[in-house]
Amino acid sequence: MRTQDFIQKIKSNEIDIVEHTHKAIEECKKLNKEYNYFNAISEELAIKQANDIKKQLKQDKNSLKNKKLLGVAVSAKDAICVKGIESTAGSRILKGYKPLFDATVIKKAVEQGAIIIGKTAQDEFGFGSFNVNVGLGFEIPKNPFDKTRACGGSSGGAAGITQKASFPHIALGESTGGSIAAPASFCGVFGLTPTYGRVSRHGLIDYGNSLDKIGTLGKNAYDAALLLEAIAGFDNNESTTINEPINNYTDSINKKRNNIRIGVIKETFRDIDGKVEKNARNGIEKLKENGAKIEEVSLSLPVKYGLAAYYILATSEASTNLAKYCGMRYGMSEELKGNFNEYFSKVRSEHLGTEVKRRIILGTFARMSGYRDAYYIKAAKVRAKIIQEYKRLFKKYDALVSPTMPILPPKFSEIEKLSPLQNYMMDIMTVSPNLAGLPHLNVPVGFEEKLPVGMMLTADHLEEGKLLQIGSLFDEE
Ligand code: GLN
């Protein structure tokens, strides 16, 4: 059932919201046993929210008529704080941490009638592209099309449940360098990363503050647009949010638009799996059939230096952000013994995973005095150049196109063989729009060997509406 029809049926009492929510939660529990999409299922909270809506429908139906998400199940990536629900960002060091407040996006979604069903699996603190870098004691989510393969990461659980849920559901994900696009591509769903600052990060457990963006994953472009409409906007609690009006993103879905100009980034078609290339080219063909004007463009600097700049900036920011997990304020602690450094090291050695440690060391090194100019500052300059290159192209094009990932969803046994550097290289397409804070959208364009392939559309700052409009050409009829 389409989400918009479901909402109508909730409003008209054709569907009992409480019964429906019970069923949805049961389905999540069952799926979780098989696929590990959730770190926590918030059953009590969801049923309470459903009961509140039911009561309100009885008392004053009219007061709910404008609720954009009435009764719709929304899941949140584990890094997004939900009051009273364990929120760990996928790390053992935050085990037992139950936030005292809701992230702004949760508050806004609930105000629109959403039902929060749980916290989805992710790479520890978002550090990964396959969701295999989970924290100690966490389970790895499995691809909805083949359980021996990865969901993609780091918002892997979000993409997996979006593909699998039989009930109307939209996911809140988060992207620092591609964590919405990558799993959306591997799981065959729409994944929208908005412009940096379009959506509040208040209540998001940070990875890299200058890069983090909360976005949406849906079975179609409409769903992704609907949730974005609910959560976007200025927030007094978050100084980087943009104070610009929010568009009615759902209005742009399936609206015809003439003279769309698309730039195909030629460098992103080099050295990729031929099956991915074939499907991405089919996607471009579809744009052409719908009247878009297609041209090849070059984006050499971002493709060549994006990864290097990204991994320096992202790990630098992450290494300072993680310093607060010292066993004193949140989550795990140990017996108070020795001086602070000894205690701090013990807690972190014990409870952080290997990839987290690697990134703390990398990031700390990159911003150390003596190395700072050569790495951190240099990377920041490259970032500025990358933004300029994009801006130049957006004078001429409505959107840029590339494959989302260079490969098909890989088997877990294949990922084990990759070195950390080979792992980072998988983000070749996704890091640059993230560095530039540009909105980008994964659209499913086809299947190969029964596995989904995604194509990525990138637009200029605050052009989410345009992006969704073009993306909706790929909605199934
Ligand atoms: N794969 C990238 C990384 O590991 C992006 C992750 C993200 O966007 N959270 O940094």
Side-chain angles (χ1 to χ4, degrees), residues 34-66:
E34 230 179 303
Y35 292 94
N36 307 321
Y37 292 148
F38 288 93
N39 288 347
I41 294 175
S42 48
E43 178 168 10
E44 236 176 84
L45 174 66
I47 300 301
K48 183 186 171 302
Q49 288 169 336
N51 273 311
D52 287 350
I53 292 174
K54 188 168 176 172
K55 219 162 92 194
Q56 190 67 17
L57 275 171
K58 269 202 194 122
Q59 278 170 2
D60 181 11
K61 209 167 146 184
N62 247 343
S63 66
L64 298 176
K65 75 169 192 288
N66 292 326

Side-chain angles (χ1 to χ4, degrees), residues 305-318:
Y305 298 116
L307 273 176
Y310 170 78
Y311 274 96
I312 287 179
L313 294 171
T315 56
S316 294
E317 291 185 27

Side-chain angles (χ1 to χ4, degrees), residues 112-169:
Q112 291 299 333
I115 302 229
I116 307 297
I117 56 169
K119 309 298 304 293
T120 50
Q122 61 167 97
D123 286 293
E124 189 171 11
F125 290 111
F127 301 161
S129 313
F130 301 116
N131 209 153
V132 298
N133 298 337
V134 294
L136 300 159
F138 287 83
E139 302 290 339
I140 294 173
K142 298 173 187 165
N143 192 287
F145 296 94
D146 177 351
K147 283 189 244 174
T148 67
R149 293 175 190 269
C151 272
S154 63
S155 313
I161 188 66
T162 300
Q163 176 56 252
K164 271 287 183 190
S166 71
F167 51 89
H169 158 267

